[in-house]
Every structure is written in C-alpha cells, then in structure tokens.
C-alpha cells in the first residue's frame, strides 16, 4: 500500500456537541436562553440533524429530501440544506440560523481524535502518501492548519470543489491521481460504509472506524499503521 485516504468528520476529526455549538453561538451573538429552554432547543436541533458532522435528521422534511441527497455537491447546497433543517427549530433571533452554520466551520468547533496526529505523523515518516476525501460544503483546510495536522496531508479531495460526492468513485479518483498512486495501492479509511465504501469500486482497500465522540475513541486509527506496514 503506497497511500492512505482519510475521511474527515467522524474519522480524523469530530464536531463539537450540539450543546457546545449552540452555547458558543449564543455567547458570540449576545443572546441568552433559560437553561430549561436551552436544553430543549439543543435536543430539537439534534433531532433536526441541523449540525453538520452531528446526528442525522430523525425525520427528513419532505421539502428538503431532494436537497439533502445532493447537499455536499456545492457550498450553496450544503448551506441551504443545513440552515433549512435548523430553521425547523425556533431560535431567539432568525439570524442565529446563519450564525450556527458559520460556527460549524470554525476550527474551534472541531477536535481531532487523540491518535490522529500520531498516525498521520508516522505515515509521513514512512513516506506514505496521505489524502483527505470528504463530503463537505466548505474548505476544511483551516481546521487542519489550526490543529497542526495540515503538514501531514498531501492532497484534499472535497466534494463541493468537484461537484461530486462519495460514494461516487470519481472523488476518490481525484485524490489517487493527485497522489500519483494506483488505487489498488491505496487504503481508504472512513466511518461510513455507504459513502467511504465507494472507494472499493476503484480497487482501493477500505477500513472503517466508528463515528464516536472523541473521548470515547482514543486509538481506533492506530490499526491503520499495521495495515500499511
């Protein structure tokens, strides 16, 4: 195996909790909610699936079904899908829906898994090519830079930049081509079997990790080092 492709959310990084997300935005915008109301609002946002990288919608509104299916193909579609879900939940100010969307793109809203740096650093030391392949509607490179992991990544293949989303093999092909590597010599690491499993169509080997909170998944990436040795 000559290279490894990693998914972003749920694989190398995990988004903050919905409670942290809402509290941060309320603080930034000078709004307040009574604790009892805040708890209910957090629950409603989670059930709506309004936090990208968080829980999926419990029930997808019929008018957003089509948009949801292609949400990662452009920045505009991504914003429309998630703010559309957020707006199902009453907030003190309508402007908070856009503020919530902006917050989820901030480096502070993301935390790397505890073993991410070690795995990426070790792969780099071995001369292994490293790419990030993500279904996303915004530029995640600043997140990697802020957390000191950008230096380990050779290329990024982001769905919104190419108008195609996983499991479409074309997105994985973009990364393999950028790395100059035959897909049959590439390992794809991700948390979604439906999405990340698409790499197998190119001949990539695929390894899955669980999308768990950062505190509950300390070392799930370490087996990648053995798979590449």
């Amino acid at each position: 195996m000559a290279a490894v492709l990693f998914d972003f959310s749920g694989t190398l990084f995990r988004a903050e909790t919905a409670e942290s997300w809402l509290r941060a935005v309320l603080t930034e915008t000078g709004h307040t909610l009574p604790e009892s109301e805040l708890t209910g609002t957090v629950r409603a946002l989670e059930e709506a699936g309004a936090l990208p990288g968080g829980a999926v919608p419990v029930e997808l509104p019929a008018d957003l079904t089509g948009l949801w299916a292609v949400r990662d193909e452009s920045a505009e579609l991504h914003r429309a899908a998630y703010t559309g879900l957020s707006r199902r939940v009453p907030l003190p100010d309508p402007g908070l829906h856009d503020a919530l969307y902006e917050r989820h793109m901030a480096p502070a809203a993301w935390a790397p898994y505890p073993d991410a740096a070690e795995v990426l650093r070790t792969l780099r030391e071995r001369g292994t090519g490293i790419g990030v392949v993500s279904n996303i509607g915004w530029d995640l490179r600043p997140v990697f830079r802020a957390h000191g992991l950008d230096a380990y990544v050779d290329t990024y293949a982001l769905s919104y930049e190419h108008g195609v989303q996983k499991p479409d093999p074309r997105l994985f092909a973009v990364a393999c081509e950028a790395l100059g590597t035959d897909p049959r010599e590439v390992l794809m690491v991700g948390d979604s079997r439906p999405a990340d499993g698409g790499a197998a169509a190119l001949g990539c080997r695929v390894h899955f990790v669980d999308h768990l909170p950062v505190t509950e998944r300390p070392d799930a990436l370490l087996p990648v080092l053995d798979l590449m040795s």
Side-chain angles (χ1 to χ4, degrees):
M1 308 300 282
V4 186
L5 304 179
F6 290 95
D7 172 52
F8 168 56
S9 176
T11 300
L12 289 176
F13 283 82
R14 173 71 187 242
E16 66 186 332
T17 64
E19 180 179 348
S20 172
W21 178 51
L22 179 58
R23 285 187 184 277
V25 168
L26 291 174
T27 299
E28 290 167 3
T29 59
H31 291 84
T32 60
L33 278 175
E35 281 299 309
S36 59
E37 188 175 341
L38 186 141
T39 300
T41 301
V42 167
R43 186 182 308 111
L45 287 168
E46 288 178 332
E47 292 177 354
L51 172 59
V56 298
V58 171
E59 183 177 350
L60 191 62
D63 61 321
L64 291 179
T65 301
L67 180 59
W68 181 257
V70 297
R71 66 192 181 281
D72 295 312
E73 293 184 4
S74 76
E76 295 76 18
L77 292 171
H78 193 268
R79 178 183 286 271
Y82 282 100
T83 56
L85 292 172
S86 173
R87 289 191 172 92
R88 264 52 185 188
V89 181
L91 294 176
D93 182 333
L96 289 174
H97 298 288
D98 284 315
L100 284 169
Y101 186 82
E102 294 296 327
R103 164 68 187 183
H104 102 272
M105 297 186 285
W110 295 88
Y113 281 94
D115 53 348
E118 177 184 351
V119 169
L120 292 175
R121 181 176 61 252
T122 302
L123 290 172
R124 171 50 57 85
E125 290 170 351
R126 292 178 180 177
T128 303
I130 299 172
V132 172
V133 182
S134 177
N135 280 351
I136 199 164
W138 49 277
D139 187 4
L140 52 72
R141 295 173 184 85
V143 175
F144 278 78
R145 287 196 293 269
H147 291 278
L149 300 184
D150 181 63
Y152 304 125
V153 181
D154 297 300
T155 191
Y156 296 88
L158 310 182
S159 61
Y160 84 102
E161 292 182 336
H162 298 280
V164 60
Q165 59 189 32
K166 299 182 289 187
D168 194 313
R170 289 178 292 174
L171 195 61
F172 304 103
V174 166
C176 291
E177 183 176 351
L179 292 170
T181 307
D182 187 319
R184 292 170 294 183
E185 298 178 352
V186 173
L187 174 68
M188 174 66 205
V189 182
D191 67 298
S192 170
R193 282 169 171 76
D196 300 310
L202 283 182
C204 298
R205 185 175 179 182
V206 185
H207 176 71
F208 296 104
V209 294
D210 293 324
H211 187 154
L212 295 171
V214 168
T215 55
E216 296 177 21
R217 215 195 74 189
D219 55 10
L221 291 170
L222 292 179
V224 171
L225 300 178
D226 294 329
L227 292 171
M228 296 299 293
S229 60

